[in-house]
Amino acid sequence: MHASARTIWDFWADRYEGLWAQHFSLAPSRKLVLQRFDEVVPSDARVLDLGCGVGQFVKELAERRPDCRIVGIDPSADMVARAKRDYAADNATYLHGYLWDVPRGDGFDVVTSMHAFPYMPDKYGALVRIRELLRPGGRVLVIQANTEGAYDWAFLKFVKLTTTKADYLSASQLLELMHSAGFQPGVVRPIPAPPFIPSIQLVEGVL
Ligand SMILES: C[S@@+](CC[C@H](N)C(=O)[O-])C[C@H]1O[C@@H](n2cnc3c(N)ncnc32)[C@H](O)[C@@H]1O
C-alpha cells in the first residue's frame, strides 16, 4: 500500500491520547522501552522509531536523552502531521512513509517499533531491512501484543477490528524470525499489565 492511502490509523490520529489502550498497553510499553534505553543504549545514539504514531515515544525519548538523534516514521499522514505539530523536539525528525522510505544515511544504533510490527505484511523482509539500516552492534526493540494462548488470540481478534490487517506473533516466533534475519536474541520482557490484557512483550534482537 502507498503511504498516501488513507487508513483507519488516520482516523485514530486525532483520538490517539484518549484510547483506553494508553493506560494498559501504550504508556507502560513506552516506559519499558525507555528503561531498556537506560540500560544499554550509549550516548549520541541514532534511533529510528518505526510506526511512530503521533510521536509520544519519540518525544519522551528526545527529552530523556537529548544526546540521541531520533527519526520517527509512520505511513499515516495524519499521525505524522500530529507528531510534527504536537510532539516536536530539537533532536527529533518525523517522516511520512514506510520502512523502505527510510534513508540509511550514517545508519542507526537502535530501531524501535512499538505496537506497529503486527501491521507490517512482510515481517522477515522488514527485519532484514532493519538489519541493513543498523550499524554494527546495533539492536532492534520490538514491543507488541503477542499471541501466547487462546485468550490472547480471542482478545486480539477483537482488537483487529479496530486496526489494519494484523498478525500478532508470539514472542518465540518473533525471536525465531529475528534470528533468521541475522539477529542474536536479546532480552524478552513483559510489560506489567492487568490479567485481562493480552501478553505484551518487549523482544530484542542484537547484531
Ligand atoms: C497502534 S499504533 C502505534 C503507534 C506508536 N508506535 C505507539 O506505540 O503509540 C500503530 C501504528 O503503526 C502504523 N503502521 C501501520 N502499518 C504500518 C506499517 N506497515 N509499517 C509501519 N507502521 C505501520 C500506523 O500508522 C500506526 O501509527
Side-chain angles (χ1 to χ4, degrees), residues 161-173:
L161 300 174
T162 66
T163 70
T164 43
K165 194 174 178 314
D167 192 7
Y168 301 94
L169 303 182
S170 68
S172 56
Q173 285 173 322

Side-chain angles (χ1 to χ4, degrees), residues 12-34:
W12 289 125
D14 275 339
R15 301 159 176 85
Y16 203 70
E17 292 87 343
L19 291 178
W20 67 274
Q22 287 288 346
H23 304 287
F24 302 111
S25 162
L26 303 174
S29 297
R30 294 195 292 274
K31 193 170 169 197
L32 184 64
V33 175
L34 288 174

Side-chain angles (χ1 to χ4, degrees), residues 7-80:
T7 66
I8 197 163
W9 298 113
D10 294 302
F11 169 82
W12 289 125
D14 275 339
R15 301 159 176 85
Y16 203 70
E17 292 87 343
L19 291 178
W20 67 274
Q22 287 288 346
H23 304 287
F24 302 111
S25 162
L26 303 174
S29 297
R30 294 195 292 274
K31 193 170 169 197
L32 184 64
V33 175
L34 288 174
Q35 280 167 359
R36 189 65 184 146
F37 264 77
D38 289 348
E39 290 170 2
V40 290
V41 176
S43 51
D44 301 325
R46 282 199 83 213
V47 182
L48 172 67
D49 187 34
L50 274 177
C52 64
V54 296
Q56 289 171 302
F57 173 72
V58 170
K59 174 84 171 172
E60 285 177 22
L61 179 63
E63 284 174 352
R64 187 167 174 129
R65 294 289 301 264
D67 56 292
C68 291
R69 282 170 298 149
I70 310 150
V71 176
I73 187 164
D74 199 285
S76 157
D78 289 9
M79 290 281 192
V80 175

Side-chain angles (χ1 to χ4, degrees), residues 126-149:
L127 286 167
V128 169
R129 180 60 187 153
I130 289 171
R131 194 193 66 210
E132 289 167 357
L133 290 172
L134 282 168
R135 293 166 164 167
R139 63 186 69 227
V140 59
L141 301 173
V142 176
I143 194 159
Q144 62 168 73
N146 309 101
T147 309
E148 304 291 351

